[in-house]
Amino acid sequence: MHTDLSAHLHTPACNQLIEELKACHDNNAFGKFIGICNSIDDKVVKCLKAERVARSAANRAKARERQAKYKQKLEQGESN
């Protein structure tokens, strides 16, 4: 199971892989159940994971910045 595969949520590279997977599923109505599309699906999973890891790293960096600003303001308030 994948996350939401809407195009606006993903990078162009992942969107291309998602489109390939959808096309494979459309062209292989029965084959998709026996693994015809598994290689493309594996690529989609890897791409989505890479996006998630990058998004998490960016969120952690932003959180550290916010925490540092908060700590600085807190320390300035205590010194007054």
Side-chain angles (χ1 to χ4, degrees):
M1 195 71 186
H2 302 289
T3 60
D4 186 5
L5 298 179
S6 298
H8 69 281
L9 298 174
H10 302 288
T11 61
C14 284
N15 282 331
Q16 181 180 359
L17 291 171
I18 291 167
E19 290 301 319
E20 288 178 27
L21 180 63
K22 287 179 181 178
C24 183
H25 284 174
D26 290 343
N27 294 333
N28 300 293
F30 177 73
K32 67 182 176 183
F33 297 113
I34 58 172
I36 299 284
C37 302
N38 282 357
S39 62
I40 299 170
D41 187 52
D42 291 341
K43 292 176 186 176
V44 170
V45 168
K46 287 179 183 178
C47 190
L48 295 177
K49 182 178 179 178
E51 284 182 343
R52 187 180 70 250
V53 168
R55 200 170 46 247
S56 294
N59 287 341
R60 270 193 301 285
K62 286 181 184 178
R64 285 188 191 109
E65 289 176 14
R66 283 192 308 269
Q67 289 172 352
K69 287 180 184 178
Y70 176 75
K71 186 176 179 180
Q72 184 180 21
K73 287 182 180 182
L74 188 62
E75 289 172 352
Q76 288 176 353
E78 289 177 356
S79 64
N80 288 335

